[in-house]
Each structure stands twice: as C-alpha cells, then as structure tokens.
Amino acid sequence: MSSQENTSENSPHILVLGMGGTIAGLASRPEDKPLEYVAGQVEVGSLLAHIQSAVPEGIQLVSRQLANINSCNLTEALLTQLGEAVREALANALVTGVVLTHGTDTIEETGVFLQLTCGKYAENLGKRVILTGAMLPANAPKADGPSNLLDAIRWASTPIDDCPGGIYAVMDGRGCMAMDLSKRHGSALNAPIQASPSSSVGLINPSWLSGVKAVQALWTEDWPIPKEGEWPWVEILTSHAGARPETITHWLNSKVKGLVLAGTGMGSLHDAWRESLVAAVKHGIALVRTSRTGAGEAQANLPEKDIPGCLASGSLSAPRARIALQLALNAEKQAQTAGKSLTWQDFFARIAVLPVIR
Ligand code: SIN
C-alpha cells in the first residue's frame, strides 16, 4: 500500500483517504469527450489542493493515498487494508472525521463493508466517515468531484448533534448511510445514491435521521475484518429464463464457501436450480437469496421461494449481500475459534432485521 501524509497530522484534522476512481480520473480530450477517461490518475493530495480555497477556515486536512485504482479492480486485500486504516484513523484522537474518495462502480461494496466492520465504532466515538466519488473525471469542464469532496469534508467536520457518528456517503448534494449505496445507473451524476434513502447534505431531513438512528440502535456490534488472504470465496449467480442446474452443480466440488443467488422479482429462483441448491446446502455451501431487480426486498419465509438453509437478503443488493455473507462466514470462523457456537446464519440474520429507511 502506498502512503502519503502531509504535515498537519499533529493537530486535530480530517483524514482524507484516496482509493482512486473517476474522481481521480483524467480524460485525454476533456472538452469534447469527458467520458473517455482513465480512472485513478490524480493523487488525493492534488484533489485537495484544487479545492483548498473553498475548504471552510479552521479545517485541517491530512491526506493518505491507499490505492489509485479503477474500482472495478477492487480486491478483498485492499478492503482489509482500508478497514484497518479506517479503524486506526477512528482510534486516533487527532482525527475528527474521515473522508474516503472511491470509484463509484464498487462503492456500494465498500460502503456495506465499512458499516459492518467499523459502523458501531464510528458511532460510539462520535466520528463520521464519509465516502464520496464522482461520475466525471477531474479535468472535465463540469467535474462533479470537487463539490462532492467539499460536501464530504463539510459533513465530516460539522458538529456531532446534527447527525451521529457513523459511515455515510455523499454524491450530488445528497447524503445517505454508506450501506444504502447501490449504483443503478451507468452515468447519471447521482448514480450510486439515486435509489438510496437520502437527505440533502445542506439541511438534514429529520425523518431520514430518525431512520439512521433506528438502524444504528439495532446494529450493536461490528464484525471482524477478514485478514488478507482469508476472505471466504463467495460468488453471485443470476436466475433467468432457461436457467440450468449446471450453473449450481459446477460449484459443488470447488472451494466456494457461499453463493448469492440473484433471483427474479422478490428473489424467486428457477425450479431447475432447486435440486442442485439442496445439494449445495448439503455440501456446506452458504446460500443467500436476493433480487436481481436491484430494488425492493427479498423477504424471508416465502414458502414457494425458500430452500431450507437459504437466507433472504432483505434490502441488500447482490453485491452488498455478497460482502455481508463473506463477513458473516468470517465472523462464524472467528466465533468458533473463540469457542462460541455462532453460525454465519446467526450473523447474517442481524442484517436482515435492520429497518429500511423510507
Ligand atoms: C471507478 O469505479 O473507479 C470508475 C467509475 C467511477 O468512479 O465512477
């Protein structure tokens, strides 16, 4: 991991972690072809230098480059490094808040990862971690990165009574819990947040805030961060017209520990999969059912849909359910090593009970 620190780190500051993405991207012909760009080109320190004159007086910023990638290449090892960096930052009394610049393609995975591993810690310490990104590269004439970054810095540093500590995200003037991010559009400026319950970052909406507090009240304990190289292997499979059992049986003799099944509608799975899914459960493969629609909920206890042993993902999209299942499987392993008989289902069920913010 490359790292770059500036000099205000001995006084109270906001730590800005850089992971890359379009916010750090450059187009070769920005005036007429802004979408022909390469992500992850500009260092986070330069992104901050660009907006320095607009940063409210008194806010000290320290930057650290964790990676500079197109987030389609996000790895589990990098998530481990990021989770540890966020925990370390939260533990540092001089860090008053954290901002994370990230590619929007997989920001939803990072959002749920940080909520499940650092959310309670951030809340207890009264510190905000704000994820942000951009849909246009840094040198595009109408680049959205600078305003998103400024919003994130302002939100990370506003007094705590406005909004509790926790893991949030901001895009296009709106903020949401980072675990609610879900990119549902290829190019809209608000793509990762347009379908998420959110609030204007300028004026926090009280009903959104009470939803956040209801989620936080039920999220009582963070889960361990898997060590690099110890993330359980989990794949996402999509049910569709003409589905074949081979899509499932292919994995039975592999080292896959879990499958996230992106079903049709509310999470229905093709009958052609049923027998092989029952076999997968017998093989000890963890199954979670979600919806390929990308919206709404996959509810539990629908007899027509449920395969014994397969849990419903609630409102988690397939990419978020995959991270949650990996963390639940890892938490089960850690619990069993510590002599506790908790299963991945016990852990995963804690997510299913979290209320959906309306
Ligand atoms: C990326 O995810 O790194 C590229 C796309 C984006 O940031 O919008």
Side-chain angles (χ1 to χ4, degrees):
M1 185 193 307
S2 68
S3 141
Q4 185 191 54
E5 307 269 351
N6 71 18
T7 47
S8 333
E9 58 194 287
N10 294 327
S11 51
H13 59 269
I14 300 289
L15 179 66
V16 185
L17 298 172
M19 289 278 280
T22 298
I23 192 168
L26 289 177
S28 50
R29 292 173 52 185
E31 297 294 333
D32 60 333
K33 298 209 166 172
L35 291 184
E36 289 183 13
Y37 65 90
V38 181
Q41 301 297 298
V42 184
E43 297 275 308
V44 63
S46 304
L47 299 179
L48 292 177
H50 184 68
I51 57 160
Q52 188 62 48
S53 60
V55 173
E57 216 174 309
I59 298 180
Q60 298 296 321
L61 300 173
V62 170
S63 65
R64 182 170 170 206
Q65 193 79 46
L66 291 183
N68 213 350
I69 58 164
N70 183 319
S71 79
C72 70
N73 296 319
L74 184 61
T75 61
E76 289 152 352
L78 203 41
L79 282 176
T80 297
Q81 293 166 25
L82 171 63
E84 284 166 358
V86 168
R87 280 211 187 145
E88 184 187 303
L90 290 169
N92 181 343
L94 291 174
V95 176
T96 53
V98 179
V99 168
L100 173 65
T101 58
H102 196 293
T104 64
D105 280 2
T106 56
I107 198 169
E108 63 187 285
E109 276 124 301
T110 298
V112 76
F113 165 72
L114 289 177
Q115 170 64 38
L116 300 185
T117 56
C118 307
K120 199 71 206 173
Y121 193 40
E123 184 197 337
N124 286 344
L125 289 166
K127 295 184 185 182
R128 272 175 240 132
V129 178
I130 315 282
L131 281 58
T132 196
M135 295 300 291
L136 291 168
N139 61 346
K142 292 186 178 159
D144 52 333
S147 60
N148 288 342
L149 187 50
L150 272 169
D151 277 344
I153 291 167
R154 287 195 198 104
W155 201 15
S157 51
T158 49
I160 203 64
D161 344 339
D162 293 4
C163 172
I167 319 288
Y168 301 96
V170 63
M171 285 289 289
D172 200 33
R174 297 199 67 84
C176 69
M177 290 193 82
M179 65 177 292
D180 286 333
L181 287 168
S182 189
K183 191 172 183 183
R184 302 241 180 89
H185 195 284
S187 56
L189 290 185
N190 64 355
I193 207 172
Q194 63 174 216
S196 316
S198 65
S199 166
S200 154
V201 278
L203 187 64
I204 301 277
N205 171 340
S207 114
W208 174 79
L209 196 53
S210 66
V212 170
K213 289 181 179 163
V215 171
Q216 290 187 331
L218 286 177
W219 185 252
T220 52
E221 192 187 1
D222 292 332
W223 294 350
I225 297 173
K227 291 196 177 54
E228 283 185 44
E230 292 190 8
W231 283 70
W233 183 7
V234 173
E235 290 289 333
I236 299 173
L237 305 176
T238 304
S239 184
H240 48 74
R244 294 164 181 238
E246 290 87 336
T247 305
I248 309 298
T249 51
H250 170 81
W251 298 100
L252 294 188
N253 294 315
S254 73
K255 295 201 168 122
V256 152
K257 297 281 180 263
L259 295 173
V260 170
L261 309 165
T264 46
M266 289 195 290
S268 304
L269 304 172
H270 201 294
D271 277 348
W273 277 8
R274 186 161 277 273
E275 251 177 60
S276 42
L277 287 175
V278 170
V281 173
K282 281 202 189 115
H283 268 69
I285 297 177
L287 298 183
V288 166
R289 178 168 62 71
T290 180
S291 168
R292 71 175 195 179
T293 64
E297 289 167 59
Q299 287 173 3
N301 306 321
L302 298 177
E304 188 204 341
K305 297 176 175 48
D306 275 338
I307 309 276
C310 172
L311 292 197
S313 74
S315 63
L316 293 180
S317 61
R320 286 182 283 155
R322 178 178 169 275
I323 295 285
L325 179 53
Q326 287 182 293
L327 294 177
L329 284 162
N330 178 63
E332 172 189 86
K333 195 169 152 198
Q334 308 281 325
Q336 290 179 354
T337 307
K340 297 182 197 154
S341 58
L342 289 164
T343 64
W344 71 266
Q345 288 97 332
D346 295 325
F347 287 100
F348 199 90
R350 294 182 195 172
I351 297 185
V353 297
L354 296 181
V356 177
I357 302 177
R358 306 281 170 199

